[in-house]
Amino acid sequence: MKFGYFDDQRREYVITQPDTPLPWINYLGCQAYFGIISNTAGGYSFYRDARLRRLTRYRYNNVPFDLGGRYIYLRDNQSNQFWSPSWQPTRHQLERYECRHGMGYSIIGSEYQGVEARTRYLVPLDENLEIWQLTVTNHRPAPAKLSVFSSVEFCLWDAQDDSANFQRNFSTGQVEIEDEVIYHKTEYRERRDHFAYFACSAKIAGFDTQREPFLGPYRGWDSPLALERGESANSVAHGWAPIASHHVKLDLKPGESKQIVFVLGYHENPKEQKFDPPDSQTVNKKSVKAVIAKYRNPASADAAFEQLRQYWDSLLRICQVETPCVHTNRMVNIWNAYQCMATFNISRSASFYESGIGRGLGFRDSNQDLLGFVHMVPSRARERILDIAATQLPSGGAYHQYQPLTKRGNNDIGGNFNDDPHWLILGVAAYLKETGDWSILEEPVPYDNEPGSEQPLYEHLQRSFQYTLARLGPHGLPLIGRADWNDCLNLNCFSDTPGQSFQTTTNKEGKVAESVFIAGLFCLAGRELAEITCRRPCPDGKEKLQSPCSSAAKLANGYLAEVARMEEAICQHGWDGEWFLRAYDDFGGKVGSKECEEGKIFIETQGFCTLAGAGLDNGMARKALASVRQLLATEHGIVLQQPAYSRYYLELGEISSYPPGYKENAGIFCHNNPWVMIGEARVGNGDSAFDYYSLINPSKREEISEIHRCEPYVYAQMIAGKDAPTYGEAKNSWLTGTAAWNYFAITQWILGIRTSYDGLEIAPVVPKSWKGFKATRKFRGVTYHVDVERVGPGNNVALTVDGVVTAGDVVAPPPEGVRQVAVKVTLS
Ligand code: BGC
Ligand code: NOJ
């Protein structure tokens, strides 16, 4: 069953009924100002940091789930009826409801008793504000006398404090009202130099800035007293709950349309110019007024929309494909790339499942997010890499997370997740391959943001590698620390006290438990580091090396020797006969072995070891993949492990805290399904790789929206596994490493259009039934038009580049000045 449809032409998903199984959301903003918006206009906004600079309030765990947001109410002043054109919060039965989620904007429209209202919500590029552009049309044969009421509820900036510290908060709220603008200035009188505002383009008949007089006692957003009465209370907030609401009277002749623009924004003043006059407590509005004036004008709002469209057009154009599969095309060309931007921007901090107060930017997560983002805006990827690296600790270890506003490591979560440092190597390698910008390696970057500790980024990578070497366990495999990629495999935690955090509790010394996953990751990262070392231009900048100087070669060989030793350890101690082991626990017992009662086989090591190339030559990789097919693959995707843990295991931690089939306990964790896809591609099995890709492709799952329940246009972190009563149900949509890894797997490994240091590599491993496919890929300033034709059943590539037969599978950069290259590929 579907709740809407894809409009690929306009790059929109169109939701046709408001009561979707879960809120189906979109993100507004892609730089510094962000908003979450649901299909019923629910959600909230923040500037840079969802926890520390929250503009509007949102109550998680609300009933219904999707309540509170950017609500506009309409009132018929002849019948005194009122309703919400976005369905929530009044939930009147609407005629012709439609929500179009697009690239950075959402349009929510409906008709009710002959009055059509349509609101386009968007954040203009390079601005810290959002526009709600409302168009109301009277389709009645008679004149309509209407009122429009806007509404937002302000958050007192720190979202965590806002939802907890009421004894203070109920007394701090302050606003100003001037012309048609409501300014929210709580705490501006003291240490803040920022404020929020909500402006309206039309003359207002009234306003409200205090929640209670607007809603009325004991009333909710579904029945505001102001709407019942047809007039605002003109309330001025002192403490309690500051809101902003405008009342605009709208008389429309039959057939007539009118537009009102609302602007909600964030503004900073220089510290010494906060007040106007300077000795007053009145907000200095000089600089903000110009911004407000600009965007209250519908022409500016239209222009901002047009710019946003062009921006997305140019980003998406970088990689476009035309395959025989519509779901692949739609995800690669539009939605998966778009989701990669969201995960890059927001990491795992703010969605309808991430409250924005729990997590900042993850070290591991943000590095992986780069895989799906770096081609879009490399300059931002560069900045991100340097920010992440600056939170690395001198040991080479890392803070697990950092706050985007302060860019400082988050002490509450700490470090010792022993996989973290290696992701930095992979993130940097992806950046270098995409851009060829070797200068990043020489950027001085501090450790733990400590001034004076700066070393070239390259040294950070070396320390990442050394970190593991200094922490090997009894089998020569990496010690796991708090956890590795699987945050819930807490082998040193041993928590038996309710409420303790699995993420930070450590009751064991950590000298025994080892991770075969980190071993695989180490091999991949080590090979990347060796290659980077060989190719790194001499730091003095004099000479760009074709072949490495002897010291670099020696260093690289040293890294490769460690990788070889690790591979040996994997084969000796990390192989269980039919698949890769997962780990050794604190007693030296095996995790993910046929000897275990439960949790005999895990996806992570099968995926990551094969992806990293372990066991490709000795048959282990194929065997491991066959075991995945046999024991882990399901009709909804590959589950994380089997059998699911049926009880809590003290020595395993959070993984066994989830009921069977959910999350890390045998859920289909969509993040690591692509590792198996890449593994399958590496052994040349295009049918299997693509089959796994299709199983979790959201667009393909649109047909079963009543089972999947999450948005059909983006990946969710998890789909309930076969042990779960709700098998097939997705959860935690949007913010997941699934976005970047699926994008990476399909574009670089299955379609095989892969960035490399020497040029664009083209090595497709696609289904046998495909007759071919086409792709355009912009890479280092050149657009490659790739036309793949299958002439035989295998994966052998023959290239003709601009008419010239070319050996190998790498298309070298064309001569200076050439911007378009035609690549004909035959697969046999
Ligand atoms: C979740 C993990 C998550 C971790 C860190 C756990 O409860 O199951 O998926 O990575 O928390 O926040
Ligand atoms: C979600 C976390 O963000 C990610 O870092 C982790 O790898 C997975 N959960 C698996 O636990």
Side-chain angles (χ1 to χ4, degrees):
M1 181 187 173
K2 296 196 209 176
F3 296 81
Y5 60 93
F6 286 93
D7 184 340
D8 292 336
Q9 208 66 39
R10 292 176 51 159
R11 297 186 179 130
E12 291 171 343
Y13 189 81
V14 189
I15 300 163
T16 47
Q17 75 181 69
D19 53 343
T20 45
L22 288 164
W24 284 5
I25 70 164
N26 192 13
Y27 284 86
L28 306 175
C30 52
Q31 291 157 322
Y33 183 102
F34 298 104
I36 298 176
I37 185 163
S38 75
N39 54 306
T40 69
Y44 60 93
S45 301
F46 57 95
Y47 171 73
R48 284 195 193 278
D49 193 310
R51 172 172 168 184
L52 300 175
R53 287 289 153 85
R54 185 83 65 101
L55 263 82
T56 55
R57 188 173 276 165
Y58 187 79
R59 287 172 196 79
Y60 280 92
N61 234 338
N62 217 335
V63 184
F65 191 158
D66 179 13
L67 178 62
R70 302 172 181 80
Y71 294 144
I72 288 173
Y73 300 84
L74 282 181
R75 186 177 195 280
D76 183 333
N77 292 330
Q78 284 148 319
S79 68
N80 297 338
Q81 270 204 337
F82 64 91
W83 70 98
S84 313
S86 59
W87 190 59
Q88 271 281 63
T90 66
R91 292 194 302 285
H92 275 79
Q93 187 75 44
L94 298 167
E95 299 136 29
R96 295 204 301 129
Y97 158 92
E98 182 182 273
C99 166
R100 290 182 168 263
H101 284 319
M103 306 284 104
Y105 65 89
S106 291
I107 302 168
I108 306 178
S110 62
E111 197 172 317
Y112 184 70
Q113 296 192 342
V115 177
E116 186 189 339
R118 183 175 174 273
T119 312
R120 186 166 69 190
Y121 298 91
L122 74 119
V123 173
L125 290 171
D126 304 314
E127 298 285 9
N128 297 324
L129 57 89
E130 64 189 67
I131 298 172
W132 313 0
Q133 205 173 353
L134 168 72
T135 311
V136 187
T137 309
N138 177 17
H139 293 298
R140 296 175 183 169
K145 287 189 172 308
L146 306 171
S147 278
V148 175
F149 287 79
S150 65
S151 70
V152 293
E153 182 173 4
F154 290 113
C155 177
L156 308 185
W157 302 113
D158 180 332
Q160 172 140 314
D161 195 62
D162 182 70
S163 59
N165 194 6
F166 305 109
Q167 60 80 28
R168 170 181 162 83
N169 296 346
F170 284 167
S171 294
T172 54
Q174 287 193 303
V175 296
E176 284 179 30
I177 304 125
E178 200 179 305
D179 304 327
E180 278 70 39
V181 189
I182 295 161
Y183 297 88
H184 174 230
K185 61 166 189 176
T186 301
E187 292 187 348
Y188 190 76
R189 64 197 308 283
E190 26 124 352
R191 292 156 297 174
R192 295 190 185 274
D193 47 14
H194 44 266
F195 57 89
Y197 58 88
F198 191 40
C200 170
S201 66
K203 269 266 148 294
I204 59 175
F207 62 85
D208 271 298
T209 68
Q210 183 64 282
R211 194 181 66 210
E212 192 85 347
F214 176 69
L215 294 183
Y218 280 88
R219 283 163 178 257
W221 295 97
D222 56 344
S223 56
L225 190 59
L227 267 295
E228 200 172 289
R229 286 193 183 136
E231 58 183 22
S232 306
N234 296 336
S235 58
V236 180
H238 302 285
W240 295 114
I243 64 159
S245 170
H246 308 94
H247 174 200
V248 177
K249 291 207 164 150
L250 205 61
D251 289 347
L252 295 175
K253 297 190 208 80
E256 194 186 6
S257 267
K258 274 189 188 160
Q259 232 186 72
I260 304 174
V261 183
F262 297 96
V263 183
L264 173 66
Y266 169 90
H267 196 75
E268 284 174 7
N269 273 336
K271 267 208 178 341
E272 57 295 345
Q273 293 166 30
K274 277 174 59 166
F275 301 107
D276 179 28
D279 56 357
S280 75
Q281 289 290 299
T282 311
V283 172
N284 177 355
K285 307 184 183 76
K286 283 203 180 94
S287 57
V288 77
K289 276 191 171 164
V291 184
I292 295 173
K294 174 169 177 192
Y295 288 105
R296 273 207 290 213
N297 179 347
S300 308
D302 286 343
F305 177 69
E306 197 40 46
Q307 259 182 12
L308 189 65
R309 268 172 29 90
Q310 280 172 16
Y311 178 70
W312 271 104
D313 194 57
S314 67
L315 290 184
L316 296 177
R317 246 177 227 284
I318 297 170
C319 179
Q320 288 286 298
V321 302
E322 215 183 299
T323 77
C325 170
V326 60
H327 306 293
T328 304
N329 300 345
R330 181 179 281 155
M331 289 311 291
V332 171
N333 296 343
I334 307 170
W335 291 99
N336 194 177
Y338 181 62
Q339 187 180 2
C340 285
M341 169 68 98
T343 56
F344 172 84
N345 282 329
I346 319 270
S347 190
R348 309 297 171 267
S349 71
S351 70
F352 267 33
Y353 309 90
E354 300 284 4
S355 66
I357 57 180
R359 305 212 235 173
L361 295 176
F363 194 96
R364 168 203 297 146
D365 293 330
S366 292
N367 275 304
Q368 291 174 75
D369 292 343
L370 291 169
L371 298 177
F373 175 80
V374 61
H375 65 290
M376 287 197 266
V377 196
S379 59
R380 291 189 65 203
R382 188 182 207 275
E383 185 190 349
R384 175 62 52 80
I385 288 170
L386 298 176
D387 287 347
I388 297 172
T391 66
Q392 190 175 29
L393 299 162
S395 64
Y399 282 106
H400 198 45
Q401 288 169 17
Y402 72 97
Q403 280 311 121
L405 193 71
T406 60
K407 298 192 173 176
R408 294 296 152 117
N410 192 337
N411 264 323
D412 300 344
I413 317 273
N416 295 335
F417 292 79
N418 283 351
D419 63 316
D420 270 339
H422 293 291
W423 300 109
L424 179 65
I425 301 178
L426 299 189
V428 171
Y431 174 80
L432 290 172
K433 287 179 194 168
E434 181 69 44
T435 61
D437 168 23
W438 291 90
S439 73
I440 193 173
L441 292 179
E442 312 313 323
E443 282 290 337
V445 182
Y447 288 97
D448 195 5
N449 280 294
E450 201 52 57
S453 67
E454 290 81 1
Q455 291 294 329
L457 176 65
Y458 176 67
E459 203 208 270
H460 284 252
L461 306 188
Q462 293 178 294
R463 288 202 200 178
S464 290
F465 191 74
Q466 297 299 339
Y467 179 84
T468 291
L469 288 179
R471 286 166 183 78
L472 295 178
H475 300 92
L477 294 165
L479 291 171
I480 196 167
R482 282 196 202 286
D484 58 24
W485 173 87
N486 190 331
D487 273 325
C488 299
L489 197 58
N490 315 119
L491 303 182
N492 295 306
C493 179
F494 284 79
S495 172
D496 57 8
T497 307
Q500 265 181 348
S501 159
F502 287 108
Q503 303 291 309
T504 52
T505 306
T506 308
N507 285 315
K508 292 287 172 159
E509 260 195 288
K511 296 270 161 54
V512 180
E514 298 169 292
S515 161
V516 180
F517 171 80
I518 302 183
L521 177 62
F522 174 92
C523 293
L524 183 67
R527 274 198 215 95
E528 294 287 8
L529 180 60
E531 187 151 15
I532 289 172
T533 302
C534 288
R535 290 171 179 267
R536 176 183 175 220
C538 268
D540 62 16
K542 287 211 187 85
E543 185 193 359
K544 192 156 171 74
L545 291 169
Q546 291 308 312
S547 58
C549 55
S550 61
S551 62
K554 208 165 139 218
L555 207 52
N557 285 335
Y559 294 144
L560 291 177
E562 295 298 349
V563 168
R565 255 196 292 281
M566 190 64 80
E567 271 185 330
E568 191 48 42
I570 295 177
C571 293
Q572 268 207 354
H573 304 293
W575 181 250
D576 198 51
E578 303 288 325
W579 56 79
F580 292 102
L581 272 183
R582 179 62 177 85
Y584 286 94
D585 67 20
D586 184 60
F587 308 110
K590 292 176 182 172
V591 180
S593 158
K594 54 181 175 301
E595 294 165 22
C596 305
E597 219 174 288
E598 299 183 316
K600 289 176 192 284
I601 172 171
F602 280 67
I603 189 175
E604 296 102 308
T605 37
Q606 319 320 321
F608 219 87
C609 291
T610 55
L611 169 166
L616 278 185
D617 303 331
N618 61 14
M620 285 181 180
R622 277 181 185 279
K623 253 196 191 159
L625 292 166
S627 299
V628 169
R629 176 60 73 186
Q630 200 195 332
L631 300 169
L632 299 178
T634 77
E635 61 186 308
H636 292 290
I638 311 168
V639 297
L640 196 142
Q641 100 277 18
Q642 278 295 292
Y645 294 115
S646 60
R647 62 176 177 87
Y648 178 55
Y649 290 75
L650 186 66
E651 70 277 20
L652 299 180
E654 187 171 4
I655 189 166
S656 58
S657 74
Y658 287 111
Y662 291 104
K663 291 279 289 184
E664 281 87 344
N665 188 13
I668 296 157
F669 225 87
C670 300
H671 183 145
N672 48 31
N673 277 228
W675 300 347
V676 177
M677 296 169 205
I678 299 174
E680 290 286 5
R682 291 210 64 167
V683 301
N685 195 350
D687 283 327
S688 194
F690 188 71
D691 176 44
Y692 288 137
Y693 174 76
S694 298
L695 288 179
I696 60 167
N697 183 320
S699 160
K700 183 104 195 272
R701 296 175 65 79
E702 186 196 17
E703 291 287 349
I704 52 162
S705 285
E706 80 286 7
I707 296 172
H708 184 78
R709 301 186 76 228
C710 278
E711 297 91 331
Y713 41 92
V714 289
Y715 286 96
Q717 180 198 57
M718 194 238 356
I719 298 172
K722 59 184 175 187
D723 302 287
T726 57
Y727 180 34
E729 177 192 43
K731 222 173 261 172
N732 305 353
S733 57
W734 277 98
L735 301 183
T736 158
T738 310
W741 274 105
N742 272 284
Y743 190 83
F744 187 69
I746 185 72
T747 57
Q748 301 224 8
W749 286 94
I750 299 178
L751 301 179
I753 303 182
R754 196 145 66 229
T755 56
S756 86
Y757 295 112
D758 296 322
L760 198 61
E761 188 174 350
I762 308 202
V765 185
V766 292
K768 288 201 182 64
S769 61
W770 282 19
K771 302 230 167 359
F773 70 92
K774 289 194 171 73
T776 350
R777 177 63 155 88
K778 208 167 156 196
F779 176 59
R780 303 193 196 170
V782 178
T783 303
Y784 295 85
H785 304 273
V786 181
D787 185 354
V788 179
E789 190 192 352
R790 194 182 260 305
V791 295
N795 307 308
N796 301 310
V797 165
L799 291 186
T800 309
V801 179
D802 275 340
V804 180
V805 174
T806 305
D809 63 7
V810 176
V811 185
E816 250 333 277
V818 176
R819 290 273 166 267
Q820 308 284 330
V821 172
V823 186
K824 178 91 199 128
V825 184
T826 54
L827 268 190
S828 59

